[in-house]
Amino acid sequence: MKINIGIEEDQRKAIAHGLSVLLADTYTLYLKTHNYHWNVTGPMFQTLHTLFETHYNELALAVDEIAERIRALGEFAPGSYKEYAKLTSIKEADTIPSAEDMIKDLVKGQEAIAKTARSIVPVADAASDEVTLDLLTQRMTVHEKNAWMLRSLVA
């Protein structure tokens, strides 16, 4: 059936593309955070192990919300490592860094997602897509707060 939600098709496609990038960034950070959760060592082990678990659980819920919004806009959500690798701005970790370097790397990832979300705002705003704007505001709030809290651990 044709989608008739008050957002033109070209606008829906543009918003969905931006959300696909956000989804790829979010999933990549989810994987990285989960990896660091498993492999963190050192005197801050318990604190970081627990914090990373909180973050990856939140990211797991976020990928579903983002993908469902893409679908509600009438587009298919990317769902493979290959697609995510093409879309994401977040680099995968290919080594196990120190705990402090894990924190610094995750700060970069959290900030990258906040910037990706912010870059979609003008497109969604131009389409009067309040649902996507609300989702983006929620994502920016979470990622900016997470980045601040992580930065505070290495200040």
Side-chain angles (χ1 to χ4, degrees), residues 5-96:
I5 60 173
I7 302 172
E8 297 299 321
E9 182 178 0
D10 61 329
Q11 291 176 311
R12 285 188 289 105
K13 286 182 182 298
I15 294 165
H17 174 74
L19 291 173
S20 293
V21 174
L22 183 65
L23 178 61
D25 281 353
T26 304
Y27 198 85
T28 303
L29 187 61
Y30 162 80
L31 288 173
K32 182 181 284 192
T33 305
H34 212 151
N35 175 23
Y36 289 172
H37 163 79
W38 290 326
N39 292 299
V40 67
T41 59
M44 291 179 33
F45 168 79
Q46 188 60 45
T47 299
L48 294 179
H49 185 75
T50 302
L51 180 62
F52 295 167
E53 181 176 13
T54 300
H55 286 186
Y56 77 69
N57 282 329
E58 195 284 326
L59 289 161
L61 295 172
V63 295
D64 197 51
E65 289 179 27
I66 297 164
E68 288 178 355
R69 182 63 190 151
I70 294 167
R71 293 298 296 130
L73 290 168
E75 298 298 315
F76 288 104
S80 70
Y81 296 128
K82 183 178 179 180
E83 289 175 291
Y84 293 152
K86 282 192 240 177
L87 293 168
T88 190
S89 65
I90 298 172
K91 294 181 181 177
E92 286 189 273
D94 50 5
T95 63
I96 303 299

Side-chain angles (χ1 to χ4, degrees), residues 82-128:
K82 183 178 179 180
E83 289 175 291
Y84 293 152
K86 282 192 240 177
L87 293 168
T88 190
S89 65
I90 298 172
K91 294 181 181 177
E92 286 189 273
D94 50 5
T95 63
I96 303 299
S98 68
E100 185 169 324
D101 287 341
M102 286 178 180
I103 294 166
K104 290 175 181 178
D105 193 29
L106 293 176
V107 167
K108 289 178 189 173
Q110 295 284 347
E111 290 175 340
I113 294 175
K115 287 189 280 189
T116 297
R118 186 165 277 106
S119 74
I120 305 164
V121 168
V123 181
D125 191 40
S128 298

